[in-house]
Amino acid sequence: MLETIRSIPIDYYVYYATVLFVIGVFGVLIRRNAIIVLMCIELMLNAVNLLLAAFSTYLSDAQGQIMVFFIMVVAAAEAAVGLGILVMIYRNTKSTDISLLDKLRN
Amino acid sequence: MTALLIIFLTALAVLFVGLKNRSWLQPIALLGTLLALGATGYDLLGPGFGWGGEYASMFRFMPFAYAFSGVAILATALIIGLSGWGFRNLNSTLGDHYGLILFSLCGALIMFSYTNLTMLFLGIEILSIPLYVLAGSRRDDPAGNEAALKYFLMGAFATGILLFGMTLVYGSTASFDLASISRAIGNGDHMPGMLKVGILLMIMGLSFKVSAVPFHFWAPDVYQGSPNLITAFMATVVKTAGFAAFYRLFSIAFPGAEGFWSIPVAMIAALTMTVANVTAIFQTDFKRMMAYSSISHAGYLLLAVLAIGTAGADQALLFYTLTYSLATICAFGAYIAVAEQRGNGSFSAFNGLSKKQPLLAAVLTLSMLSLAGIPPLAGFFGKYFLFTAAFAKYPWLIVLAVINSAVSIYYYFKIIIAMYFVRSQAEDDSSNVAGEMNNDTLTIPVGVRWAVLIGLLLIALLTLAPGIVYGLI
């Protein structure tokens, strides 16, 4: 099984994860809906998880896979707080559009 | 480690006490932070507890970590001192506020002592997640909502970038351990491209966290929209933790690759100082001015990262963060007393303060002068140590930093001029309408008085004897 996985060059995983990560970054920068921005941040974190798992397998080192668990736990905590903030904003503005939030510039 | 445990247990205790008796919250939180400060001092200066300094190559408390823990805990203790007034309108959520501030401080302590990238990531998140909640703690305030969402989205985005950098570093060095990474890099002659990209992404992620230009755009809005005391916490503890983590990472894990990362970091430092100081000149709101001021101090503090390897670089970083934190907390203490009583946070709220409340005016003046780095105040020594440490490597950057310090005097003095030389609205009214009662009642709340006086005393101590901090690490 491990041999089959390792027959794919590691470079392919790096390119694949980078593409996923860049899609996430562009989503954060371009999209105006806060929930979609949140999903794009999750996409970035999942690209990192995928790459960590791949490196971990190729280096025969468990640290990378343990890190994946930490990232998943923290991402869940972050999403809980983030969605809480979003609910608070939705109650006040009836919208999740982040371009409405420009009141602080003077 | 002892301090970390004390703070964690205090945070738990505060959460439970908050359900029953709210008047005990501030004393308990203050007691917990002071105990933690004592434990840190015992570990740093005394014989130490002799346990828990290290755990499975995940973190190690050394003099560096103890000294920075002392700075962060002291800053938090002063902020808790101010909170009797700053949090006076909170009712059922008061316990949560103290609990979240203390949990956040736990994250800062981990960022001072990590020896593994996993702990760096966890420390940053433990520091940040409570702050996302605190930034938006005024649920009905649109400014607070906006600040919380911006802080959350930018923080999570920065974490993603930092993690991708970490992963690439792991992929090319096969370890998360700082010392192993340093061994794998060696003297930096044969660095694979993946490692270079990883280091650059980590610089970007950390620059977001410490709000360095061009990754600073969230900071002024977040600082302005958050509750005043939370802004003070962000400007002091979070900044200290961010820079200590930055410094640790580059001094332990990447010293071999210095030829590669020093140029981007120097460029970020130059941009940060210049852009922040020039923008701060045009601000009319005190909190927004302090936000740009804190960004400009991030630029100076990056000089310590650039000076890695020079003798005295870590002492300079410690001294600078300490004086900067004390002066910022004193300034915020005075600001909270004035702005929340006059209902206005712009410079005009400070008009005529020297006649109304000479003590507050004096505190604010001294902290502004210290932040500007006017000799012989503590802030001057902070800048002096930092600039001399980095001068051998980057003379052009130091010239730029000195010019920027001169520019910063302009906006720090604007507030001093408003306090001493501009008449307040009430004075004008009472001189126009003869015999009318002057109803501008401005008092100094007790907690604010004590906190700013202790802060001022410590600034005076550092002014008279800057060497005491130098001997700590």
Side-chain angles (χ1 to χ4, degrees), chain B residues 112-374:
Chain B
F112 297 138
S113 58
Y114 70 96
T115 54
N116 190 300
L117 292 183
T118 316
M119 292 310 281
L120 169 64
F121 165 61
L122 287 179
I124 287 180
E125 289 304 306
I126 296 170
L127 178 82
S128 303
I129 292 179
L131 278 173
Y132 301 148
V133 181
L134 287 170
S137 56
R138 289 179 305 186
R139 271 173 295 184
D140 302 325
D141 176 26
N145 288 353
E146 185 181 338
L149 189 67
K150 273 190 181 150
Y151 196 36
F152 167 71
L153 289 178
M154 280 305 115
F157 184 56
T159 306
I161 292 174
L162 182 73
L163 277 174
F164 199 68
M166 261 181 213
T167 307
L168 293 180
V169 170
Y170 168 66
S172 37
T173 61
S175 180
F176 285 114
D177 186 62
L178 297 188
S180 311
I181 292 172
S182 177
R183 272 197 299 279
I185 293 176
N187 59 4
D189 286 341
H190 305 288
M191 294 209 315
M194 196 159 75
L195 179 61
K196 290 182 176 173
V197 176
I199 293 176
L200 276 183
L201 285 172
M202 287 192 81
I203 293 176
M204 275 174 69
L206 286 169
S207 298
F208 262 111
K209 291 285 175 193
V210 299
S211 67
V213 178
F215 312 106
H216 70 293
F217 44 83
W218 57 273
D221 291 352
V222 171
Y223 279 33
Q224 192 190 355
S226 302
N228 294 331
L229 270 183
I230 306 307
T231 309
F233 189 82
M234 285 177 196
T236 56
V237 177
V238 176
K239 196 135 269 187
T240 307
F243 270 101
F246 208 134
Y247 187 87
R248 260 187 95 77
L249 179 68
F250 283 82
S251 64
I252 302 178
F254 303 142
E258 193 182 344
F260 170 69
W261 55 256
S262 60
I263 298 157
V265 173
M267 271 159 48
I268 291 175
L271 263 177
T272 307
M273 287 182 241
T274 317
V275 172
N277 277 315
V278 172
T279 323
I281 290 176
F282 302 106
Q283 304 305 318
T284 53
D285 183 273
F286 180 83
K287 246 167 124 186
R288 221 173 159 81
M289 186 274 278
M290 284 304 282
Y292 282 105
S293 142
S294 106
I295 298 171
S296 76
H297 286 280
Y300 304 135
L301 282 162
L302 277 172
L303 293 175
V305 177
L306 289 167
I308 281 172
T310 318
D314 36 5
Q315 284 93 337
L317 182 66
L318 176 69
F319 192 85
Y320 200 95
T321 48
L322 181 57
T323 52
Y324 164 75
S325 299
L326 288 173
T328 305
I329 288 175
C330 283
F332 267 101
Y335 168 78
I336 288 168
V338 174
E340 295 195 1
Q341 291 186 61
R342 287 188 168 160
N344 175 6
S346 66
F347 287 165
S348 58
F350 293 89
N351 288 351
L353 189 68
S354 63
K355 294 214 185 66
K356 205 75 203 160
Q357 281 297 349
L359 174 71
L360 279 186
V363 166
L364 201 50
T365 307
L366 277 173
S367 42
M368 288 292 125
L369 291 178
S370 183
L371 284 174
I374 306 280

Side-chain angles (χ1 to χ4, degrees), chain A residues 38 61 78 88 92 101 104, chain B residues 125 139 145-146 170 224:
Chain A
L38 203 59
D61 177 61
E78 232 173 30
M88 172 179 82
N92 291 339
L101 299 172
L104 282 173
Chain B
E125 289 304 306
R139 271 173 295 184
N145 288 353
E146 185 181 338
Y170 168 66
Q224 192 190 355

